[in-house]
């Protein structure tokens, strides 16, 4: 069981994989590091509405500013200015945004 590092999951902009760690990027600009993999966090109930766009990113859809298409490639621009590339196999997750 993964301990809750953030009291309110709605404050989380995205979770980013960093080897066997996960970096939480919060709405207030802070970052929190977890000692568990991104997959473990993805399985938690409070993050079930987040979008897994690649091996590295799990995004909160309410902080997506726009989806940028560059030919066949897509990327997501978040409210804090972070640009996250969408993997080719996970582009169907963005349908309906």
């Amino acid at each position: 069981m993964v301990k809750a590092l953030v009291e309110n999951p709605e404050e989380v902009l995205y979770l980013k994989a960093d080897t066997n760690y996960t970096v939480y990027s919060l709405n207030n600009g802070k970052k929190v590091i977890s000692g568990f993999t991104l997959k473990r966090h993805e399985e938690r109930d409070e993050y079930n509405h987040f979008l897994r766009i690649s091996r590295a990113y799990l995004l909160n859809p309410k902080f997506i500013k726009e989806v940028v298409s560059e030919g066949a490639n897509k990327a997501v621009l978040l409210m804090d200015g972070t640009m996250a590339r969408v993997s080719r196999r996970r582009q169907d997750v963005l349908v309906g945004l």
Side-chain angles (χ1 to χ4, degrees):
M1 183 79 185
V2 179
K3 185 181 110 180
L5 295 174
V6 179
E7 291 178 20
N8 184 5
E10 294 305 315
E11 295 176 357
V12 179
L13 286 165
Y14 62 88
L15 284 78
K16 184 173 192 245
D18 187 12
T19 315
N20 284 330
Y21 297 95
T22 300
V23 179
Y24 283 72
S25 183
L26 305 179
N27 193 16
N28 60 10
K30 291 185 180 180
K31 295 198 187 282
V32 179
I33 298 175
S34 167
F36 294 101
T37 62
L38 188 58
K39 182 174 176 67
R40 293 272 303 265
H41 292 286
E42 181 182 18
E43 294 169 350
R44 298 186 60 189
D45 288 337
E46 56 264 22
Y47 300 114
N48 64 358
H49 67 284
F50 280 38
L51 303 174
R52 182 76 182 255
I53 62 162
S54 68
R55 201 183 271 191
Y57 283 98
L58 186 63
L59 304 179
N60 188 342
K62 86 176 203 183
F63 292 111
I64 294 176
K65 189 172 185 179
E66 71 177 290
V67 177
V68 180
S69 295
E70 300 162 353
N73 299 327
K74 289 188 179 177
V76 175
L77 179 63
L78 298 173
M79 296 291 186
D80 70 338
T82 302
M83 184 73 83
R85 190 175 107 16
V86 180
S87 70
R88 185 180 65 225
R89 295 177 190 216
R90 296 191 188 253
Q91 289 186 7
D92 60 335
V93 181
L94 299 176
V95 174
L97 287 180

